[in-house]
């Protein structure tokens, strides 16, 4: 089976002016055929996320008219806008909505579900989206709207802004992308208001960003990030936040948005595999956005000089939202408008700058978590997740069922490159179940095709092994398919084990259940609202690669050696002298300095082909 949302790299979608004109032409024909006598452009099957959708397609038609002057479009824009103003503007408080600071304000908002009280939880973001669709129509109003309709739309947008920032609690779902989107709406709206009204809106938008969003950033992997549903990052909504930061910088010129976007972009670059696969986050563990991410990934790929567009998006949503029949839905249409207007081109080559939380070369990549334990390994077209043993998750030596990967002290990192090789040495003090402090040294070396992982630790009792990951998925053309195997070789013998117990807290990679589904099953709250990453932490056991100790380790040391990806015979040798531990394989020689390191105690690593 294929993972449903991880599809093609987003930078493979043509983004020339001609390609976008073709997209708008297709939207135009669909919209004109769909428009009801009342002027609605909503998809007939839409139920939720609906309150802004007709207005979103109106904004696309307005942009299409700007670019091509199709004579059919002015009337369609006016009729569809009249429908929204007449039928989709709500001023009476939605029954059951608890996030109000003031009741009976009679300021306008958009509904997530049209029926009163049916599902009001999404009204706040739907109003943000309606505000953004409205300001896009205002941006294209010259020659399209008469004075009366233009004034009514401007007043509506101002009302949306006041509803979002005065009547309701700001960002009630603690969703960074929604909050930054609201700020963008204020910045764009301010340009359409008289100076005495516009400047307070702009100032308020900037203050909300600094005080209500930026001041509450969450640290992960050394970066401060906008919080997303209570977590630091979400692999669906995080790149959408990046798009909102790009638009905020485009429309305001404020450097703070560029700086924060650079930080988020470098973070995404560090956690993203070479093949563009990623998982994790407090809302959706494996779902990816599509066109909603393009603006931010493209804009900041140029700024940080890396190929962020390798990100595997849901290319069914590569241009705009669609319903099950493949026909356009106006949800999030503002993102398509902005990416068409932006002239930035993709940066398509990887950054060569060493990054603490990432090792990447060719088709091999290792992303590291806060503890500098791999969170995702990619080699030979296969993706390996951290395995679980007795509720402990990660990659590392296991002795008596105890996983030695959680640091008790400072984690240190050294990078080296030589002769087409890239390497990273991670050293961390670890306390075992016996309370003994040990020094774990993990060496990762790649030639761009295979990955060698060598782990050395003071000798362990019993029958230790190296927990070497769980094969989970593999590239299959432009898709990612589920997998429970990979091309892995170990110097000391290798076994792939699967849980013997059953139940939601034992994950067998051979089953059809996805990691996302299993994680939501273990989460405390319902699917769509719980944090699957927190749920996944409750996992007791999983499928796991287990590598035995390599033969020939120096006295006093236990050494484990594993190769991910293709290669011939694998028989590494190890020596220990005054320089430290020397590792020799068929591809490289590396010298790992002893724990005392240099005069400052830093780890030493030398590498040669």
């Amino acid at each position: 089976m294929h993972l449903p949302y991880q599809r093609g790299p987003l930078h493979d979608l043509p983004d020339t002016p001609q390609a976008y004109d073709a997209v708008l032409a297709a939207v135009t024909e669909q919209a004109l055929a769909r428009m009801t006598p009342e002027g609605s452009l909503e998809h007939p099957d839409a139920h939720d996320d609906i309150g802004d959708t007709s207005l979103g397609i109106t904004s696309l038609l307005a942009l299409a008219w700007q670019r091509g002057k199709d004579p059919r479009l002015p009337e369609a824009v006016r009729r569809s806008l009249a429908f929204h103003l007449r039928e989709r503007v709500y001023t009476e408080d939605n029954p059951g909505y608890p996030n109000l600071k003031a009741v009976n304000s009679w300021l306008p908002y958009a509904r997530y579900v049209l029926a009163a009280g049916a599902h009001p939880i999404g009204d706040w973001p739907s109003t943000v989206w309606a505000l953004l669709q409205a300001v896009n129509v205002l941006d294209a109003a010259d020659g399209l709207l008469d004075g009366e309709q233009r004034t009514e739309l401007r007043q509506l947008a101002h009302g949306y802004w006041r509803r979002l920032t005065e009547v309701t609690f700001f960002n009630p779902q603690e969703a960074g992308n929604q909050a930054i989107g609201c700020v963008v709406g204020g910045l764009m709206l301010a340009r359409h208001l008289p100076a005495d009204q516009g400047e307070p809106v702009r100032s308020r938008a900037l203050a909300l960003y600094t005080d209500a969003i930026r001041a509450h950033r969450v640290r992960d992997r050394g970066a401060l990030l906008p919080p997303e549903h209570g977590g630091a990052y979400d692999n669906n909504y995080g790149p959408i936040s990046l798009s909102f930061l790009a638009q905020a910088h485009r429309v305001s010129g404020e450097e703070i948005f560029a700086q924060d976007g650079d930080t988020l972009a470098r973070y995404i670059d560090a956690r993203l595999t070479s093949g563009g696969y990623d998982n994790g986050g407090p809302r959706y563990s494996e779902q990816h956005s599509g066109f909603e991410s393009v603006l931010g990934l493209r804009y900041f790929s140029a700024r940080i000089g890396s190929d962020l567009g390798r990100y595997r998006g849901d290319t069914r949503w590569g241009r705009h939202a669609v319903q099950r029949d493949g026909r356009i839905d106006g949800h999030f249409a503002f993102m398509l408008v902005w990416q068409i207007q932006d002239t930035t081109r993709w940066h398509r080559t990887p950054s060569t700058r060493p990054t603490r939380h990432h090792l990447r070369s060719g088709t091999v990549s290792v992303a590291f978590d806060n503890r500098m334990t791999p969170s995702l390994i990619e080699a030979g077209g296969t993706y390996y997740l951290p395995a679980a043993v007795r509720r402990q998750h990660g990659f590392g030596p296991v002795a008596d069922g105890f996983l030695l990967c959680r640091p008790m002290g400072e984690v240190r990192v050294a990078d080296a490159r030589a002769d087409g090789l890239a390497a990273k040495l991670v050293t961390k003090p670890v306390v075992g179940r016996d309370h003994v402090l040990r020094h774990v040294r993990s060496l990762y070396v790649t030639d761009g095709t295979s990955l060698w992982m060598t782990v050395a630790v003071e000798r362990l009792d019993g029958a230790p092994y190296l927990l070497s990951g769980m094969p989970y998925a593999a590239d299959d053309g432009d898709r990612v398919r589920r997998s429970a195997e990979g091309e892995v070789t170990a110097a000391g013998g290798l076994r792939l084990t699967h849980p013997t117990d059953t139940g939601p807290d034992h994950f067998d990679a051979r089953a059809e259940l996805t990691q996302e589904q299993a994680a939501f099953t273990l989460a405390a709250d319902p699917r769509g609202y719980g944090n699957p990453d927190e749920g996944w932490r409750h996992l007791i056991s999983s499928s796991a690669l287990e590598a035995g100790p390599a033969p020939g380790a120096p006295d006093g040391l236990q050494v484990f050696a594993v190769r991910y990806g293709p290669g011939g015979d694998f028989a590494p040798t190890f020596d220990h002298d005054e320089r430290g531990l020397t590792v020799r394989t068929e591809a490289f020689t590396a010298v790992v300095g002893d724990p005392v390191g240099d005069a400052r105690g830093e780890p030493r690593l030398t590498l040669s082909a």
Side-chain angles (χ1 to χ4, degrees):
M1 59 175 287
H2 288 101
L3 296 178
Y5 304 103
Q6 308 243 1
R7 294 175 182 250
L10 290 176
H11 65 197
D12 286 353
L13 293 169
D15 62 347
T16 63
Q18 295 77 18
Y20 281 133
D21 283 337
V23 172
L24 289 174
V27 169
T28 294
E29 297 307 320
Q30 275 199 49
L32 293 178
R34 174 187 300 173
M35 183 180 287
T36 67
E38 297 78 20
S40 172
L41 292 171
E42 294 164 356
H43 191 287
D45 294 336
H47 171 67
D48 54 19
D49 268 326
I50 190 174
D52 66 299
T53 60
S54 182
L55 188 59
I57 296 183
T58 301
S59 72
L60 291 174
L61 297 182
L63 179 62
W65 182 81
Q66 269 193 333
R67 293 169 67 89
K69 296 299 188 288
D70 185 329
R72 300 173 296 172
L73 292 180
E75 177 61 21
V77 168
R78 294 168 194 143
R79 283 182 56 207
S80 60
L81 177 57
F83 166 79
H84 182 84
L85 294 171
R86 184 181 66 249
E87 302 290 343
R88 293 296 177 259
V89 177
Y90 297 87
T91 56
E92 185 175 359
D93 295 344
N94 202 350
Y97 189 68
N99 293 315
L100 298 176
K101 294 190 295 183
V103 298
N104 299 324
S105 68
W106 300 103
L107 285 171
Y109 67 97
R111 283 187 178 171
Y112 177 69
V113 175
L114 298 181
H119 193 27
I121 191 169
D123 287 358
W124 198 87
S126 289
T127 304
V128 174
W129 311 152
L131 169 61
L132 294 170
Q133 317 281 27
V135 292
N136 279 341
V137 176
L138 287 171
D139 282 351
D142 289 345
L144 275 178
L145 304 183
D146 59 33
E148 182 178 350
Q149 206 174 37
R150 188 171 187 168
T151 298
E152 189 175 357
L153 180 60
R154 184 168 57 243
Q155 291 172 342
L156 173 64
H158 197 186
Y160 283 151
W161 170 256
R162 292 188 59 200
R163 182 89 182 197
L164 291 165
T165 59
E166 298 175 16
V167 174
T168 63
F169 289 97
F170 182 78
N171 191 19
Q173 294 184 21
E174 296 183 355
N177 73 97
Q178 298 172 8
I180 304 171
C182 182
V183 168
V184 172
L187 294 171
M188 295 183 70
L189 170 66
R191 304 182 302 180
H192 292 283
L193 298 174
D196 61 334
Q197 296 179 358
E199 186 51 40
V201 169
R202 176 185 168 87
S203 298
R204 175 68 169 147
L206 293 174
L208 283 170
Y209 182 73
T210 57
D211 299 340
I213 302 172
R214 195 169 196 266
H216 299 280
R217 289 177 298 171
V218 180
R219 185 176 295 278
D220 187 49
R221 307 186 195 193
L224 284 171
L225 308 169
E228 191 58 67
H229 289 283
Y233 173 81
D234 183 276
N235 73 331
N236 181 24
Y237 292 151
I240 296 176
S241 285
L242 193 65
S243 287
F244 282 127
L245 287 169
Q247 182 67 2
H249 186 240
R250 289 183 67 236
V251 300
S252 72
E254 294 289 339
E255 192 61 21
I256 192 172
F257 298 117
Q259 293 171 353
D260 291 354
D262 288 348
T263 297
L264 177 54
R266 291 192 179 99
Y267 172 88
I268 293 173
D269 193 35
R271 68 176 290 144
L272 197 60
T273 60
S274 294
Y277 172 78
D278 184 22
N279 79 310
R283 192 65 182 264
Y284 297 120
S285 283
E286 290 183 291
Q287 292 194 35
H288 272 207
S289 50
F291 75 101
E292 312 102 298
S293 301
V294 168
L295 173 66
L297 294 170
R298 189 173 68 194
Y299 192 82
F300 286 101
S301 74
R303 284 187 56 91
I304 71 169
S306 194
D307 56 337
L308 293 177
R310 69 186 188 276
Y311 179 94
R312 283 185 184 268
D314 189 340
T315 49
R316 296 169 300 181
W317 282 41
R319 301 300 192 183
H320 46 66
V322 296
Q323 288 284 343
R324 291 176 181 262
D325 60 6
R327 292 189 296 164
I328 187 172
D329 186 295
H331 182 52
F332 254 68
F334 48 83
M335 284 294 190
L336 177 57
V337 172
W338 299 341
Q339 64 170 278
I340 292 175
Q341 293 171 335
D342 179 50
T343 58
T344 307
R345 300 277 65 86
W346 288 108
H347 181 99
R348 296 179 178 274
T349 55
S351 170
T352 58
R353 184 181 63 137
T355 302
R356 178 178 174 88
H357 291 90
H358 201 202
L359 175 66
R360 179 186 174 200
S361 178
T363 58
V364 172
S365 58
V366 185
F368 296 88
D369 62 17
N370 277 321
R371 306 180 304 189
M372 286 305 298
T373 298
S375 62
L376 187 56
I377 286 179
E378 169 196 23
T382 299
Y383 302 101
Y384 303 85
L385 300 179
V389 56
R390 296 188 182 180
R391 294 191 187 276
Q392 303 160 96
H393 299 212
F395 290 75
V398 177
D400 190 28
F402 190 85
L403 175 59
L404 298 168
C405 74
R406 293 171 299 281
M408 181 63 70
E410 189 67 21
V411 179
R412 297 183 175 186
V413 177
D415 288 276
R417 289 181 180 263
D419 305 317
L421 300 169
K424 187 181 294 288
L425 171 64
V426 177
T427 71
K428 61 176 75 170
V430 174
V431 174
R433 198 183 298 278
D434 55 7
H435 293 197
V436 174
L437 182 68
R438 293 177 173 87
H439 198 262
V440 177
R441 289 174 284 174
S442 302
L443 173 66
Y444 307 85
V445 181
T446 178
D447 61 359
T449 301
S450 297
L451 172 73
W452 291 263
M453 180 168 66
T454 306
V455 178
V457 64
E458 290 86 354
R459 190 163 291 277
L460 302 166
D461 295 329
Y465 63 88
L466 182 72
L467 193 64
S468 305
M470 175 180 69
Y472 176 71
D475 291 334
D476 186 12
D478 62 352
R479 298 291 301 276
V480 177
R481 62 175 170 80
R482 282 292 308 281
S483 177
E485 58 187 14
E487 193 171 3
V488 184
T489 308
L494 183 72
R495 59 186 179 266
L496 175 59
T497 66
H498 302 285
T500 56
D501 295 322
T502 59
D505 43 11
H506 301 278
F507 185 79
D508 191 327
R510 298 170 298 181
E512 290 191 359
L513 193 71
T514 66
Q515 188 267 347
E516 175 191 353
Q517 291 168 331
F520 265 120
T521 299
L522 295 170
D525 295 308
R527 180 178 178 83
Y529 301 96
N531 184 338
D533 279 3
E534 288 185 355
W536 188 251
R537 294 187 190 106
H538 296 299
L539 194 71
I540 295 174
S541 66
S542 73
S543 298
L545 288 163
E546 300 174 356
D555 290 343
L557 286 180
Q558 205 98 61
V559 179
F560 305 88
V562 176
R563 184 184 62 205
Y564 301 83
D569 292 338
F570 182 51
T573 62
F574 314 97
D575 294 306
H576 189 267
D577 56 25
E578 68 279 358
R579 297 182 304 159
L581 175 66
T582 299
V583 181
R584 292 184 178 91
T585 73
E586 73 280 12
F588 66 88
T589 298
V591 180
V592 177
D594 279 332
V596 293
D598 62 8
R600 295 179 300 138
E602 291 298 326
R604 295 173 297 166
L605 173 63
T606 59
L607 180 70
S608 61

